[in-house]
Amino acid sequence: MAPPLRISQEAAWLQFNRRVLLQTERPDFPVLERLRFLEIWAANLDEFFSARISRAFLEERGSEGYQALLLEAKSQADFAEDCYRRFLPELEPLGMRVLPPDKLSKAELRYFGAYLAEEVAPKTDLIQPEGLADLSSRALYFASGEGLLQTLIRLPESIPRLLPIPGREGSFVRLGELVRHRNDLFLPYPAKLYELRVIRLASLERSRVDWDELPEALEARLDGKVSHLEVEEDFPPHWAEAIREALGLAAEEVFRLAPPLDLRFVNILVAAGPAKERFAPRPPEKPRRFIKNPWTTLDEQDLLLYHPYQDYRAVEAFAWAAANDPKVEAIRATLYRLGRENGVAEALISAAKAGKDVAVLLEARARFDELLNLYWSLRFRKAGVRVLPLPAKKVHAKALWVRRGRRAYAHLGTGNYNALNGSLYTDLSLFTANPKVTKEVAAFFRALEARHAPAPTLIKTGPAIREALLEAIQGEAHKKGQIILKFNHLTDPTILAALEEAAEKGARVDLIVRSTLTLLHPKFHARSLVGRYLEHARVAAFKNKGKWTVWAGSADLMPRNLDRRYELFFPVLDPEAKRQVLRLLKSQLKDDVNTFILYHDGSQKALWKGKHNAQQL
């Protein structure tokens, strides 16, 4: 038997981003949806260089493994640039074009000249070479000079990268191309312009940040080191070398790419294109009886929903029912990524204004959402919602608890309380009035409020999640054992070692891992699903001598989630809810339309042309 392959978390994540990029070639997807995946890939690669590469950048620069990461990222970037060029003629039959300035009429050129003078030039920064070390992350720059590098032009991020051409519906011109064409509006001398951009490591300076410290920490966030430089393929070599040295980068950390750089702008084309070339809306199933009266429904039995196939608005309806019911006395919630508009948050504000006891653990340290959460904290406090102090560990649990008279009710989920995510991500929601569960959820919130470490018993949090899973895995370590794990990330060494041992003792180990799997074993049956919806549910199922046990929760199986966060992992006790989860898992194990098989040698194979689509429930 071939030995198992261990790969780094960064390498596994880049493999996932290649799977995202390959969605641009899906034969069964409308053209605008394929183009959307190009934008997702571009945003993901920026995130890779701003956050996910940070450990390798700080600890392994120059190593063989680090070089391999850069080679893979560069390979993907080259493929993406070619992909963009191949999309342009494919968009023309839809009446959509991206035209160069030399294809514009004289009247159109006069209009855009005025636009550049009035709207763009006043917002454009001119930077001298001595300011190279202070370049902003993700901004698009142009370099210019006569012989030597003399000036950098920073394009304003408030101006769209694609501008519609008046009178030509569906036709656009790139802002950068217009700036090149009319460089006389930006420079005191005639010179060619060359694109470049940098990515900086983005992290809060403090690992432990409370609400009073958060604004200052956010102001300092983008002071991180530059981890990545992109220049267009014709960029003068001696300029590129000067910029590289000023930024402290190695030669392999500089990517030469065909312009345009930063393909995130294709989202403008996706939004402007015809609806027939996007996915048709899929109305979710509405649990009408539950929405009308959640208390009566849950007094009879638990309810399990699978979003977005079943309406996420049921979660908001549950929160609003609690806010509006005079019998409800208290509400507790953990909130992580809320977005700008949020029905659950508005319900909590309404409940507090009505005099109910409402307290939330709003996680200030949700990466890249800190500013929005700061906004919500101000709104909550003004309305009378108690925002609990942040514990030392980040709170990533998804829980909503309601006390109504003598009974308590709870919602436990695998995804954020966010309606946009609820329409794009697949997640599980469990609603229950089971006292065994609701008592533990209440105890979880009491511990957070008292600034104690939560220690529920039936529900698991922290390292207890690992302990419960290890016990279940070890119980399946025999020839009739069966384990099914569905997670976004599976990187915990202890859990992977237990899975390896169980597989070698004859258990069937099925892994559905969307993004990062760091151990590939010949006896694992590993796959990744990438499709219309982002697979986001976290589930574990164990055959248990024919009496399946099923768990779900907020935690991915990574050391940081299990050791440095408060997650919640809960057993699915209701028999019908358990059957629903098992049907979902077995359907995804049969999927041959959205699946990549992950082989033990590190290769992956796309299954796109089968008949079983688990994303069409």
Side-chain angles (χ1 to χ4, degrees), residues 459-479:
I459 297 176
K460 305 300 179 183
T461 191
I465 298 173
R466 180 188 291 113
E467 293 165 10
L469 291 177
L470 287 176
E471 182 180 354
I473 292 168
Q474 290 159 1
E476 299 297 316
H478 53 82
K479 291 182 178 179

Side-chain angles (χ1 to χ4, degrees), residues 334-356:
T334 57
L335 303 172
Y336 195 72
R337 297 192 190 279
L338 289 174
R340 176 63 65 175
E341 297 180 2
N342 192 288
V344 170
E346 297 291 355
L348 296 174
I349 288 171
S350 179
K353 288 181 176 179
K356 300 182 191 299

Side-chain angles (χ1 to χ4, degrees), residues 205-220:
E205 292 298 313
R206 306 172 182 84
S207 59
R208 172 72 171 89
V209 177
D210 214 327
W211 288 106
D212 293 339
E213 302 170 323
L214 183 60
E216 181 182 349
L218 288 176
E219 288 178 13

Side-chain angles (χ1 to χ4, degrees), residues 339-548:
R340 176 63 65 175
E341 297 180 2
N342 192 288
V344 170
E346 297 291 355
L348 296 174
I349 288 171
S350 179
K353 288 181 176 179
K356 300 182 191 299
D357 174 18
V358 183
V360 299
L361 195 296
L362 175 62
E363 183 47 74
R365 299 155 294 189
R367 189 171 65 193
F368 303 127
D369 274 5
E370 298 96 342
L371 185 60
L372 268 177
N373 286 354
L374 185 59
Y375 159 84
W376 281 109
S377 76
L378 295 174
R379 286 201 59 195
F380 283 144
R381 293 173 197 274
K382 289 286 187 181
V385 176
R386 287 185 294 115
V387 179
L388 301 181
L390 296 172
K393 292 183 178 182
K394 185 182 286 189
V395 178
H396 192 249
K398 321 299 181 190
L400 180 60
W401 177 87
V402 175
R403 187 176 74 238
R404 181 178 186 267
R406 296 182 179 180
R407 296 213 68 173
Y409 302 82
H411 169 268
L412 296 169
T414 64
N416 296 307
Y417 291 109
N418 183 309
L420 180 61
N421 290 2
S423 67
L424 300 175
Y425 295 7
T426 67
D427 271 306
L428 289 167
S429 279
L430 178 71
F431 300 89
T432 184
N434 186 329
K436 294 178 182 179
V437 176
T438 58
K439 285 179 181 178
E440 295 223 328
V441 177
F444 177 79
F445 280 108
R446 283 197 301 272
L448 291 178
E449 189 159 4
R451 311 195 80 168
H452 297 154
T457 54
L458 177 67
I459 297 176
K460 305 300 179 183
T461 191
I465 298 173
R466 180 188 291 113
E467 293 165 10
L469 291 177
L470 287 176
E471 182 180 354
I473 292 168
Q474 290 159 1
E476 299 297 316
H478 53 82
K479 291 182 178 179
K480 294 184 179 181
Q482 190 171 350
I483 300 164
I484 308 174
L485 299 183
K486 174 181 168 59
F487 288 87
N488 305 325
H489 307 280
L490 175 47
T491 68
D492 186 76
T494 308
I495 290 176
L496 286 168
L499 290 170
E500 183 177 11
E501 181 180 358
E504 291 179 350
K505 288 184 177 180
R508 180 174 176 98
V509 177
D510 284 296
L511 306 177
I512 308 169
V513 182
R514 186 196 74 204
S515 300
T516 53
L517 175 62
T518 53
L519 176 65
L520 297 164
H521 193 282
K523 291 193 173 181
F524 288 172
H525 301 269
R527 56 177 47 211
S528 173
L529 270 66
V530 183
R532 173 174 180 172
Y533 300 116
L534 183 76
E535 293 293 332
H536 196 252
R538 291 97 165 189
V539 185
F542 306 93
K543 193 172 184 180
N544 193 26
K545 298 179 181 179
K547 297 180 180 179
W548 283 89

